[in-house]
Amino acid sequence: MQYKIKCIGLLTSGGDAPGMNAAIRAVTRTAIFNNIRVKAIYRGYKGLIADEIVDFQTQHVSNIIQQGGTILKTARSQEFKTIEGRQKAYENMQKHGIDALVVIGGDGTFTGARIFAQEFNIPIIGLPGTIDNDLCGTDSTIGYDTALNTIIEAVDKIRDTASSHERLFFIEVMGRDAGFLALNSALASGAEAAIVPELETKEDQLKSLIQNGFRKSKNSSIVIVAESEITGGANGLAERMRIEHPEYDVRVTILGHIQRGGSPTAYDRIIASRMGVAAIDALMDEQRNIMIGIVNNEIVHVPFTKAIKDDKPLDQSLLGVLHVLSI
């Protein structure tokens, strides 16, 4: 980098995740602490193109660490996928004197950031904000722990009804391409099984469950299902059960967007704060085009290409643990 960073732009993009506000707070205050001006960009890349850019001071991020969602709002932008849209975004950065960007989001956010950085030689640092925990190079993403706890709380309540009525519940959770939420919430809530996209191409997970007699010692059962088209989702699996095994009293609960909301857990607030500080430190050390991650409780720098292109492996040994504990 040929110059010192004097002003950063900060945005959130893609799906919201609890802890994003904690990250916004950390980035803003760390930048100001180091005499770097902060420009808040509302509504993600869409706002960067539309020039929704304002100055941020430390008071703008007071009393937000406990809030879910994102005070910067978020939106998806088809225009940013075009060279013309990215050109507008770059011109607005120049107009406001923005030297570098800190972007908070997931796979789509970082894909756009990598292209933008290459085209216009812009230093960009990414913070992983997604409840799916599907970004490679970090043990946990901002929002994942909160979503996991939200799911567990909901499943605990559903189990009361499942037990009372001796029913089989398929509970659908988010995770279109990754089964981290489904598998770990199943373990933590004492569910009988988890159906995840990582395995569905290898085996018929529902058929395997039935063949293994997963209800042989129980009147009620909970099966957590990732929302993926690969798994068929909770409704698809429930319909199969009604046709193939009409003896079961089957019900479906789709948790939906309740998983995205709520006050972030202590863990999400802590990693968001650490990552936010690390983002500014990385820019001051002339790093660029990286995601800030956390591995074994240590901050790491992950190239965008690795974060978005590599598939984060699901620890499938946990499926064995779940099977043993569900007898």
Side-chain angles (χ1 to χ4, degrees), residues 11-17 20 41-50 52 70 72-82 85 104-112 129-132 134 174-177 227 257 260:
L11 62 83
T12 53
S13 178
D16 64 304
M20 280 185 165
I41 302 162
Y42 283 86
R43 296 172 185 85
Y45 295 128
K46 183 178 180 180
L48 188 56
I49 293 170
E52 296 186 67
T70 163
L72 294 182
K73 313 302 181 186
T74 183
R76 304 187 192 278
S77 175
Q78 291 301 317
E79 191 176 0
F80 193 75
K81 294 180 179 180
T82 69
I104 307 169
D107 183 90
T109 302
F110 296 162
T111 298
T130 169
I131 67 168
D132 291 342
D134 58 349
M174 289 184 172
R176 186 176 63 247
D177 301 310
E227 68 181 350
H257 285 82
R260 288 197 185 281

Side-chain angles (χ1 to χ4, degrees), residues 214-226:
F214 77 110
R215 287 195 71 179
K216 60 190 175 186
S217 63
K218 299 182 179 183
N219 293 323
S220 66
S221 298
I222 301 284
V223 177
I224 310 292
V225 185

Side-chain angles (χ1 to χ4, degrees), residues 52-286:
E52 296 186 67
I53 302 171
V54 300
D55 288 304
F56 247 33
Q57 304 296 331
T58 186
Q59 62 266 28
H60 287 100
V61 294
S62 295
N63 199 31
I64 67 168
I65 194 172
Q66 78 281 8
Q67 295 178 17
T70 163
I71 63 166
L72 294 182
K73 313 302 181 186
T74 183
R76 304 187 192 278
S77 175
Q78 291 301 317
E79 191 176 0
F80 193 75
K81 294 180 179 180
T82 69
I83 183 63
E84 295 81 8
R86 294 191 294 274
Q87 180 66 42
K88 286 183 191 175
Y90 179 65
E91 289 170 0
N92 284 330
M93 284 184 62
Q94 288 186 307
K95 182 172 84 172
H96 288 272
I98 297 171
D99 303 314
L101 289 178
V102 176
V103 300
I104 307 169
D107 183 90
T109 302
F110 296 162
T111 298
R114 183 178 64 85
I115 296 169
F116 194 40
Q118 288 176 343
E119 286 178 344
F120 298 100
N121 194 30
I122 302 164
I124 303 181
I125 305 295
L127 300 185
T130 169
I131 67 168
D132 291 342
N133 197 35
D134 58 349
L135 289 168
C136 197
T138 184
D139 289 343
S140 187
T141 57
I142 297 166
Y144 172 65
D145 186 67
T146 305
L148 197 57
N149 279 280
T150 297
I151 293 168
I152 293 164
E153 184 179 352
V155 174
D156 287 348
K157 293 177 179 178
I158 291 168
R159 186 176 287 283
D160 293 342
T161 291
S163 299
S164 297
H165 293 270
E166 299 182 315
R167 287 171 175 161
L168 164 58
F169 266 85
F170 287 102
I171 301 176
E172 185 175 292
V173 301
M174 289 184 172
R176 186 176 63 247
D177 301 310
F180 296 99
L181 281 174
L183 177 53
N184 286 298
S185 65
L187 271 172
S189 63
E192 280 63 45
I195 295 184
V196 297
E198 287 87 346
L199 278 190
E200 198 63 18
T201 55
K202 300 177 184 177
E203 63 176 277
D204 184 336
Q205 294 177 77
L206 184 61
K207 184 177 179 180
S208 296
L209 287 176
I210 300 301
Q211 288 176 340
N212 290 334
F214 77 110
R215 287 195 71 179
K216 60 190 175 186
S217 63
K218 299 182 179 183
N219 293 323
S220 66
S221 298
I222 301 284
V223 177
I224 310 292
V225 185
E227 68 181 350
S228 171
E229 292 180 5
I230 299 172
T231 66
N235 279 318
L237 293 172
E239 189 58 32
R240 274 190 59 192
M241 286 295 290
R242 293 185 182 107
I243 294 170
E244 298 173 18
H245 298 277
E247 68 273 21
Y248 291 145
D249 186 6
V250 179
R251 294 292 187 275
V252 171
T253 298
I254 298 174
L255 295 185
H257 285 82
I258 189 175
Q259 297 162 83
R260 288 197 185 281
S263 182
T265 60
Y267 181 77
D268 273 332
R269 298 183 199 194
I270 291 166
I271 65 166
S273 298
R274 292 179 63 190
M275 288 177 176
V277 172
I280 299 301
D281 287 346
L283 284 173
M284 293 173 64
D285 287 340
E286 302 187 359

